[in-house]
């Protein structure tokens, strides 16, 4: 069975809205679009690229798909070549025309469709797609979660862990890595069960 990877960029206070550019997502008057750009460095770039080495499918929400489809088909570099060569799946509540080559609309039950992708592909990556990611969290329909945590606070904005989150155990796959500009990459895998509880006032 294949793996579903969720890859997200987030601020220290959990805001993941519009990291890439000012017009990416202005919902609720968000004015900090592009907050990721000043903190990019070679280490983060290498991490992003190496993390996609085994990717054989993309799974995106509608907004992220539209952004990617407008940019990547004509872009150069290894990431562009990989994005353009793999199948793309789009989770959307409405029918639409998909013009990026090898794109498929998930028109029926999204959870069932994602489960089918696990059987079809070895490493399906979900990048951005913040609204759609809440569905994956709610259904525990992911196997790996990679967060790049940027050393800034924004306060307002769409959060990584919003309405879709349910109690879930995760295991850190490897020690976190920090880039020269203070971006921390943490890679987790989904674990069995739900978080346990205890009483810190009781002596061992």
């Amino acid at each position: 069975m294949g793996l579903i990877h969720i890859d997200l960029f987030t601020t220290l206070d959990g805001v993941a809205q519009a990291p890439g550019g000012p017009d990416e997502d202005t919902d609720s008057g968000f004015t900090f679009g592009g907050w990721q750009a000043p903190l990019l460095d070679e280490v983060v770039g290498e991490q992003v690229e190496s993390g996609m080495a085994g990717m054989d499918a993309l799974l995106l929400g509608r907004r992220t798909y539209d952004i990617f489809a407008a940019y990547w088909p004509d872009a150069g570099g290894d990431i562009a070549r990989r994005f353009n060569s793999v199948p793309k799946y789009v989770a959307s509540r409405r029918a639409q025309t998909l013009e990026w080559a090898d794109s498929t609309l998930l028109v029926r039950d999204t959870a069932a469709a994602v489960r089918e992708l696990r059987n079809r592909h070895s490493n399906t990556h979900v990048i951005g797609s913040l609204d759609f990611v809440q569905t994956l969290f709610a259904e525990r329909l992911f196997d790996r979660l990679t967060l790049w945590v940027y050393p800034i606070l924004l306060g307002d904005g769409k959060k990584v862990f919003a309405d879709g989150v349910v109690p879930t155990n995760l295991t850190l796959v490897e020690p976190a890595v920090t880039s020269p500009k203070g971006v921390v990459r943490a890679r987790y895998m989904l674990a069995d069960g739900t978080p346990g509880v205890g009483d810190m006032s009781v002596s061992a």
Side-chain angles (χ1 to χ4, degrees), residues 1-201:
M1 181 176 291
L3 303 177
I4 304 295
H5 302 253
I6 297 176
D7 304 322
L8 293 172
F9 305 109
T10 176
T11 66
L12 194 60
D13 59 336
V15 175
Q17 185 171 351
D23 300 321
E24 184 177 328
D25 183 354
T26 59
D27 284 0
S28 301
F30 189 71
T31 59
F32 283 97
W35 51 263
Q36 178 189 18
L39 294 168
L40 280 178
D41 55 36
E42 290 185 1
V43 170
V44 173
E46 291 171 357
Q47 290 171 345
V48 170
E49 193 163 334
S50 65
M52 297 179 184
M55 181 180 72
D56 58 353
L58 268 175
L59 173 58
L60 305 171
R62 172 59 197 264
R63 187 193 297 269
T64 300
Y65 174 84
D66 287 344
I67 293 169
F68 278 27
Y71 176 78
W72 289 110
D74 299 318
D78 290 341
I79 293 178
R81 283 190 289 273
R82 184 167 296 277
F83 282 177
N84 288 319
S85 67
V86 302
K88 276 77 68 174
Y89 300 93
V90 187
S92 179
R93 295 184 179 90
R94 57 189 175 88
Q96 60 195 46
T97 301
L98 304 178
E99 298 184 355
W100 195 4
D102 206 359
S103 295
T104 301
L105 183 66
L106 302 182
V107 294
R108 58 187 185 83
D109 181 68
T110 300
V114 172
R115 292 187 180 96
E116 287 184 6
L117 292 183
R118 276 181 167 149
N119 296 324
R120 193 178 306 167
H121 300 286
S122 297
N123 291 286
T124 300
H125 281 250
V126 182
I127 301 172
S129 308
L130 197 56
D131 294 334
F132 172 55
V133 161
Q134 303 309 310
T135 299
L136 301 181
F137 286 150
E139 298 286 342
R140 292 171 56 92
L141 276 175
F142 68 98
D143 304 284
R144 300 289 186 272
L145 172 63
T146 301
L147 298 176
W148 281 269
V149 183
Y150 285 70
I152 57 174
L153 304 173
L154 292 180
D156 293 333
K158 295 178 182 177
K159 306 289 186 178
V160 170
F161 304 111
D163 296 335
V165 173
V166 297
T168 302
N169 284 329
L170 301 172
T171 299
L172 191 65
V173 174
E174 61 188 16
V177 179
T178 304
S179 79
K181 291 189 176 181
V183 180
V184 178
R185 185 193 66 179
R187 300 179 65 220
Y188 300 92
M189 63 184 294
L190 183 67
D192 293 333
T194 55
V197 298
D199 188 345
M200 295 293 290
S201 66

